[in-house]
Amino acid sequence: MLGYNGAMKRRLLELLADGHLHSGAALAANLGVSRTAVWKGVTALRALGVEVQAEGGKGYRIPGGLELLDAERIRRLLPASAAALLAGLEVLEEVDSTNRYLADLAERAHARSVLAERQTRGRGRRGRSWVSPFGRNLYLSVGWRWEGGIAALEGLSPAVALAVRRALGGDPRLAVKWPNDVLLDGRKVAGILSEIHGDPVGPCLLVVGIGVNLGMGESGAAIDQPWADLTELGRQGRNATAAALLAELLPLLDRFPRSGFEPFREEWNRLDLCRDRPVRVHLAGNPVDGVARGVGPTGALLVETGGVLRSFQGGEISVRAR
Ligand code: BTN
């Protein structure tokens, strides 16, 4: 939340979002506040992590501007078939984690999506954190009631990765890596964190969280793995990309309990970054070395090791040097 005086700060942010230089006097007049209040507003925006430059007595600007998220605009951009599946869409200024926020809504999270301008404790897989600066990138979660427990989820993660790749435009430079990373030129551009809450063998809530690097800016320095930014493929709108993600994800969640992974297998094996490369599978116990051979009919990773094809449902993989 923007906190005390939140409406004024929000309005200030909207004015500065165009990336142009605005004088303190013009901002004060526009907002109907004093110049001191404008300066306090700028300080508050900086505290959120927004880069606001003060240009020697001339005014303030956000370099490059920001495209703020707008729930109504995202809704309007959705195809009717996806909009019909959506029970609610919310944009938060700030939250610890959009996944955590939906999990707390329990049953009310079904078919709801939440996006945030900033996450203060964005979560990645395997206890990692997800760098989530304000007004940049996308942090989006969707909740879905899931009837069949964990067993019915088999293969959903790779299917979601394919949906995300399609939503990001399906450029040939975008590949997938098991279980659910999307990479641009071999560097991670989007990550997916699927979590279930409730009965692991019965009805539960599935929360699918997606982070897309879409203009990371200076915060990228904090990322401890090779990463890419979708802006490398040209300018991508945040609202349009959010709508494209929902347009792919909602029908997938609706259909997957009936379709399972099989219809996605060929697409995965065509776009799999690791296919036929030497990999190491990191499991809880000893790592397994072999050659990746794509995925099986349920989305399990296939690795050839010692002349035997083994199938893995859990773990992570890394590509080994030849
Ligand atoms: C990964 O480690 O690859 C998964 C990253 C998932 C990040 C997204 S951002 C939106 C949602 N909220 C979170 O806290 N995490 C996910």
Side-chain angles (χ1 to χ4, degrees), residues 4 29 50 76 90 109 122 124 160 166 173 202 206 215-216 224 242 245 248 269 280 300 306:
Y4 181 67
V50 184
R76 280 199 305 274
E90 214 177 334
V160 171
R166 283 193 299 273
R173 287 164 61 191
L206 166 71
M216 180 62 80
D224 59 0
L245 285 170
E248 289 289 342
N269 284 337
R280 171 163 291 178

Side-chain angles (χ1 to χ4, degrees), residues 5 8 12 23-42 60:
N5 254 349
M8 190 279 275
L12 175 62
S23 72
L27 289 169
N30 207 315
L31 295 166
V33 298
S34 67
R35 289 183 64 172
T36 310
V38 168
W39 176 78
K40 282 187 182 159
V42 166
Y60 303 99

Side-chain angles (χ1 to χ4, degrees), residues 168-208:
L168 302 187
D171 189 281
R173 287 164 61 191
L174 291 167
V176 288
K177 178 168 172 251
W178 196 88
N180 59 7
D181 286 341
V182 180
L183 301 105
L184 173 60
D185 297 335
R187 291 165 290 128
K188 187 154 162 171
V189 73
I192 298 156
L193 177 67
S194 298
E195 298 175 302
I196 69 156
H197 305 272
D199 185 351
V201 290
C204 52
L205 175 72
L206 166 71
V207 177
V208 179

